[in-house]
Amino acid sequence: MSFKEIKSQFLSIFRQALVYHHRSLEFRCKLFAAMIVANPEAKQCEYDVLKEIAQEIYKDDEYRVEVMVRTTKEYVNKILYNNDLDIDELIIEINRELKNYKRFVEKINLEHLRRFICQENEEANLLQSRILEFLEAEIRDRNKAV
């Protein structure tokens, strides 16, 4: 394991203490995880999209990119394999965070989220579309309140 991988893993594990604005990063990870787990047949396509988006968001910070990718994968694994969380709970958590942290609505980039629709699975695409509709409504509601 290289030093870069060790440092990325260390930052990922201790992100709450060591990563600046970790709540914002985790919120984005939850959004991405929701889009990924909406497709039970998630393949490498989704993880390639995740990496591209993370690089667009954190252009000059490769460690933050790695922390975002690892954190998103943690949420995906919690839902798909560990049964510690399910997609409904994740959506409720996203909604709760939007209510508690009004600035998080600015972190929702629908164009980024639409890029996760990369499979030809109608059920998955429908669920991903529903998630997008929910987030669009949240953006609309939050912007009306301002």
Side-chain angles (χ1 to χ4, degrees):
M1 193 179 276
S2 72
F3 177 74
K4 179 181 168 185
E5 290 171 332
I6 293 170
K7 184 175 178 181
S8 294
Q9 188 169 10
F10 182 80
L11 286 173
S12 181
I13 292 169
F14 296 103
R15 67 183 167 268
Q16 292 174 331
L18 300 174
V19 176
Y20 182 67
H21 289 300
H22 78 277
R23 280 195 180 116
S24 170
L25 182 139
E26 288 211 23
F27 177 75
R28 283 183 168 143
C29 292
K30 290 174 185 177
L31 293 172
F32 301 149
M35 292 299 289
I36 292 170
V37 299
N39 182 0
E41 299 170 2
K43 302 270 190 280
Q44 189 60 40
C45 167
E46 284 84 355
Y47 292 112
D48 293 342
V49 167
L50 172 63
K51 182 103 177 185
E52 289 170 15
I53 292 170
Q55 289 169 336
E56 289 172 19
I57 294 170
Y58 303 115
K59 295 172 184 63
D60 299 325
D61 193 343
E62 66 184 86
Y63 292 110
R64 207 162 170 88
V65 168
E66 285 302 312
V67 170
M68 176 172 270
V69 169
R70 287 175 187 264
T71 303
T72 303
K73 286 181 177 181
E74 282 177 31
Y75 281 111
V76 169
N77 288 336
K78 279 183 178 183
I79 294 168
L80 294 179
Y81 306 113
N82 297 342
N83 295 325
D84 293 343
L85 185 66
D86 68 27
I87 191 160
D88 295 329
E89 291 174 42
L90 183 61
I91 298 296
I92 291 168
E93 206 171 301
I94 289 169
N95 190 37
R96 186 178 318 117
E97 288 186 12
L98 283 169
K99 287 180 179 155
N100 292 336
Y101 302 100
K102 305 290 186 212
R103 69 186 185 281
F104 282 1
V105 77
E106 299 166 10
K107 304 297 178 190
I108 301 171
N109 183 321
L110 296 172
E111 291 307 313
H112 282 167
L113 297 174
R114 282 187 185 97
R115 289 167 46 189
F116 284 101
I117 302 174
C118 23
Q119 301 292 324
E120 296 298 322
N121 180 329
E122 277 187 52
E123 278 185 50
N125 291 350
L126 181 64
L127 183 52
Q128 288 171 322
S129 295
R130 295 276 192 258
I131 292 169
L132 288 169
E133 289 170 9
F134 160 74
L135 293 170
E136 287 171 346
E138 289 295 314
I139 292 170
R140 212 174 25 255
D141 291 347
R142 301 286 186 256
N143 288 338
K144 279 184 194 175
V146 173

